PDB file of all heavy atoms in Angstrom:
ATOM      1  N   VAL A 241     -10.361   3.194  -5.746  1.00  0.00           N
ATOM      2  CA  VAL A 241      -9.990   3.916  -4.523  1.00  0.00           C
ATOM      3  C   VAL A 241     -11.045   4.971  -4.230  1.00  0.00           C
ATOM      4  O   VAL A 241     -11.449   5.714  -5.137  1.00  0.00           O
ATOM      5  CB  VAL A 241      -8.602   4.584  -4.675  1.00  0.00           C
ATOM      6  CG1 VAL A 241      -8.222   5.320  -3.391  1.00  0.00           C
ATOM      7  CG2 VAL A 241      -7.537   3.550  -5.029  1.00  0.00           C
ATOM      8  N   ARG A 242     -11.500   5.012  -3.001  1.00  0.00           N
ATOM      9  CA  ARG A 242     -12.520   5.985  -2.590  1.00  0.00           C
ATOM     10  C   ARG A 242     -12.185   6.548  -1.220  1.00  0.00           C
ATOM     11  O   ARG A 242     -11.457   5.923  -0.452  1.00  0.00           O
ATOM     12  CB  ARG A 242     -13.895   5.298  -2.487  1.00  0.00           C
ATOM     13  CG  ARG A 242     -14.568   5.088  -3.807  1.00  0.00           C
ATOM     14  CD  ARG A 242     -15.883   4.361  -3.636  1.00  0.00           C
ATOM     15  NE  ARG A 242     -15.645   2.967  -3.267  1.00  0.00           N
ATOM     16  CZ  ARG A 242     -16.494   1.971  -3.518  1.00  0.00           C
ATOM     17  NH1 ARG A 242     -17.642   2.213  -4.111  1.00  0.00           N
ATOM     18  NH2 ARG A 242     -16.210   0.735  -3.160  1.00  0.00           N
ATOM     19  N   TRP A 243     -12.748   7.683  -0.909  1.00  0.00           N
ATOM     20  CA  TRP A 243     -12.672   8.211   0.456  1.00  0.00           C
ATOM     21  C   TRP A 243     -13.806   7.629   1.265  1.00  0.00           C
ATOM     22  O   TRP A 243     -14.961   7.663   0.837  1.00  0.00           O
ATOM     23  CB  TRP A 243     -12.796   9.737   0.454  1.00  0.00           C
ATOM     24  CG  TRP A 243     -11.548  10.413   0.002  1.00  0.00           C
ATOM     25  CD1 TRP A 243     -11.352  11.045  -1.190  1.00  0.00           C
ATOM     26  CD2 TRP A 243     -10.332  10.546   0.744  1.00  0.00           C
ATOM     27  NE1 TRP A 243     -10.072  11.533  -1.247  1.00  0.00           N
ATOM     28  CE2 TRP A 243      -9.427  11.253  -0.071  1.00  0.00           C
ATOM     29  CE3 TRP A 243      -9.906  10.130   2.001  1.00  0.00           C
ATOM     30  CZ2 TRP A 243      -8.125  11.550   0.336  1.00  0.00           C
ATOM     31  CZ3 TRP A 243      -8.611  10.429   2.409  1.00  0.00           C
ATOM     32  CH2 TRP A 243      -7.734  11.127   1.584  1.00  0.00           C
ATOM     33  N   GLU A 244     -13.469   7.069   2.412  1.00  0.00           N
ATOM     34  CA  GLU A 244     -14.484   6.671   3.393  1.00  0.00           C
ATOM     35  C   GLU A 244     -14.192   7.485   4.637  1.00  0.00           C
ATOM     36  O   GLU A 244     -13.345   7.128   5.446  1.00  0.00           O
ATOM     37  CB  GLU A 244     -14.398   5.163   3.687  1.00  0.00           C
ATOM     38  CG  GLU A 244     -14.902   4.314   2.525  1.00  0.00           C
ATOM     39  CD  GLU A 244     -14.881   2.815   2.807  1.00  0.00           C
ATOM     40  OE1 GLU A 244     -14.689   2.428   3.973  1.00  0.00           O
ATOM     41  OE2 GLU A 244     -15.056   2.046   1.846  1.00  0.00           O
ATOM     42  N   GLY A 245     -14.860   8.616   4.755  1.00  0.00           N
ATOM     43  CA  GLY A 245     -14.527   9.557   5.828  1.00  0.00           C
ATOM     44  C   GLY A 245     -13.110  10.050   5.622  1.00  0.00           C
ATOM     45  O   GLY A 245     -12.764  10.532   4.546  1.00  0.00           O
ATOM     46  N   GLU A 246     -12.269   9.881   6.635  1.00  0.00           N
ATOM     47  CA  GLU A 246     -10.884  10.351   6.568  1.00  0.00           C
ATOM     48  C   GLU A 246      -9.944   9.296   5.992  1.00  0.00           C
ATOM     49  O   GLU A 246      -8.740   9.511   5.930  1.00  0.00           O
ATOM     50  CB  GLU A 246     -10.395  10.726   7.975  1.00  0.00           C
ATOM     51  CG  GLU A 246     -11.188  11.839   8.630  1.00  0.00           C
ATOM     52  CD  GLU A 246     -10.941  13.179   7.964  1.00  0.00           C
ATOM     53  OE1 GLU A 246      -9.867  13.760   8.166  1.00  0.00           O
ATOM     54  OE2 GLU A 246     -11.838  13.633   7.215  1.00  0.00           O
ATOM     55  N   LYS A 247     -10.498   8.137   5.623  1.00  0.00           N
ATOM     56  CA  LYS A 247      -9.645   7.050   5.125  1.00  0.00           C
ATOM     57  C   LYS A 247      -9.713   6.933   3.611  1.00  0.00           C
ATOM     58  O   LYS A 247     -10.804   6.977   3.026  1.00  0.00           O
ATOM     59  CB  LYS A 247     -10.060   5.708   5.744  1.00  0.00           C
ATOM     60  CG  LYS A 247      -9.760   5.614   7.224  1.00  0.00           C
ATOM     61  CD  LYS A 247      -9.970   4.205   7.743  1.00  0.00           C
ATOM     62  CE  LYS A 247      -9.650   4.160   9.247  1.00  0.00           C
ATOM     63  NZ  LYS A 247      -9.780   2.814   9.808  1.00  0.00           N
ATOM     64  N   LEU A 248      -8.549   6.777   2.988  1.00  0.00           N
ATOM     65  CA  LEU A 248      -8.453   6.506   1.557  1.00  0.00           C
ATOM     66  C   LEU A 248      -8.430   4.983   1.406  1.00  0.00           C
ATOM     67  O   LEU A 248      -7.487   4.326   1.852  1.00  0.00           O
ATOM     68  CB  LEU A 248      -7.172   7.124   0.997  1.00  0.00           C
ATOM     69  CG  LEU A 248      -7.055   7.131  -0.532  1.00  0.00           C
ATOM     70  CD1 LEU A 248      -8.092   8.076  -1.151  1.00  0.00           C
ATOM     71  CD2 LEU A 248      -5.652   7.560  -0.963  1.00  0.00           C
ATOM     72  N   VAL A 249      -9.509   4.446   0.835  1.00  0.00           N
ATOM     73  CA  VAL A 249      -9.710   3.001   0.844  1.00  0.00           C
ATOM     74  C   VAL A 249      -9.714   2.442  -0.577  1.00  0.00           C
ATOM     75  O   VAL A 249     -10.386   2.978  -1.465  1.00  0.00           O
ATOM     76  CB  VAL A 249     -11.050   2.655   1.535  1.00  0.00           C
ATOM     77  CG1 VAL A 249     -11.300   1.152   1.516  1.00  0.00           C
ATOM     78  CG2 VAL A 249     -11.064   3.179   2.959  1.00  0.00           C
ATOM     79  N   CYS A 250      -8.947   1.381  -0.785  1.00  0.00           N
ATOM     80  CA  CYS A 250      -8.882   0.718  -2.091  1.00  0.00           C
ATOM     81  C   CYS A 250      -9.480  -0.677  -2.000  1.00  0.00           C
ATOM     82  O   CYS A 250      -9.141  -1.456  -1.107  1.00  0.00           O
ATOM     83  CB  CYS A 250      -7.430   0.615  -2.560  1.00  0.00           C
ATOM     84  SG  CYS A 250      -7.255  -0.206  -4.160  1.00  0.00           S
ATOM     85  N   GLU A 251     -10.359  -0.961  -2.957  1.00  0.00           N
ATOM     86  CA  GLU A 251     -10.946  -2.287  -3.089  1.00  0.00           C
ATOM     87  C   GLU A 251     -10.272  -2.922  -4.303  1.00  0.00           C
ATOM     88  O   GLU A 251     -10.193  -2.300  -5.366  1.00  0.00           O
ATOM     89  CB  GLU A 251     -12.437  -2.090  -3.325  1.00  0.00           C
ATOM     90  CG  GLU A 251     -13.277  -3.326  -3.369  1.00  0.00           C
ATOM     91  CD  GLU A 251     -14.749  -2.967  -3.643  1.00  0.00           C
ATOM     92  OE1 GLU A 251     -15.010  -1.907  -4.248  1.00  0.00           O
ATOM     93  OE2 GLU A 251     -15.615  -3.749  -3.256  1.00  0.00           O
ATOM     94  N   GLN A 252      -9.751  -4.140  -4.142  1.00  0.00           N
ATOM     95  CA  GLN A 252      -9.028  -4.816  -5.232  1.00  0.00           C
ATOM     96  C   GLN A 252      -9.733  -6.134  -5.566  1.00  0.00           C
ATOM     97  O   GLN A 252      -9.596  -7.122  -4.840  1.00  0.00           O
ATOM     98  CB  GLN A 252      -7.578  -5.084  -4.809  1.00  0.00           C
ATOM     99  CG  GLN A 252      -6.777  -3.799  -4.570  1.00  0.00           C
ATOM    100  CD  GLN A 252      -5.412  -4.072  -3.970  1.00  0.00           C
ATOM    101  OE1 GLN A 252      -5.287  -4.827  -3.009  1.00  0.00           O
ATOM    102  NE2 GLN A 252      -4.388  -3.453  -4.524  1.00  0.00           N
ATOM    103  N   ILE A 253     -10.486  -6.127  -6.664  1.00  0.00           N
ATOM    104  CA  ILE A 253     -11.242  -7.316  -7.049  1.00  0.00           C
ATOM    105  C   ILE A 253     -10.374  -8.201  -7.943  1.00  0.00           C
ATOM    106  O   ILE A 253      -9.849  -7.749  -8.968  1.00  0.00           O
ATOM    107  CB  ILE A 253     -12.528  -6.926  -7.826  1.00  0.00           C
ATOM    108  CG1 ILE A 253     -13.364  -5.910  -7.033  1.00  0.00           C
ATOM    109  CG2 ILE A 253     -13.345  -8.175  -8.151  1.00  0.00           C
ATOM    110  CD1 ILE A 253     -13.977  -6.418  -5.772  1.00  0.00           C
ATOM    111  N   GLY A 254     -10.230  -9.471  -7.532  1.00  0.00           N
ATOM    112  CA  GLY A 254      -9.433 -10.429  -8.298  1.00  0.00           C
ATOM    113  C   GLY A 254      -9.737 -11.824  -7.803  1.00  0.00           C
ATOM    114  O   GLY A 254     -10.861 -12.110  -7.403  1.00  0.00           O
ATOM    115  N   GLN A 255      -8.704 -12.672  -7.795  1.00  0.00           N
ATOM    116  CA  GLN A 255      -8.927 -14.059  -7.369  1.00  0.00           C
ATOM    117  C   GLN A 255      -9.054 -14.199  -5.858  1.00  0.00           C
ATOM    118  O   GLN A 255      -9.614 -15.184  -5.374  1.00  0.00           O
ATOM    119  CB  GLN A 255      -7.788 -14.943  -7.885  1.00  0.00           C
ATOM    120  CG  GLN A 255      -7.809 -15.062  -9.410  1.00  0.00           C
ATOM    121  CD  GLN A 255      -6.839 -16.110  -9.925  1.00  0.00           C
ATOM    122  OE1 GLN A 255      -5.951 -16.541  -9.207  1.00  0.00           O
ATOM    123  NE2 GLN A 255      -7.017 -16.511 -11.169  1.00  0.00           N
TER     124      GLN A 255
END
Side-chain angles (χ1 to χ4, degrees):
V241 181
R242 281 178 289 206
W243 284 107
E244 288 182 12
E246 299 290 286
K247 291 189 180 182
L248 190 68
V249 178
C250 179
E251 185 181 26
Q252 296 172 312
I253 307 293
Q255 293 190 344

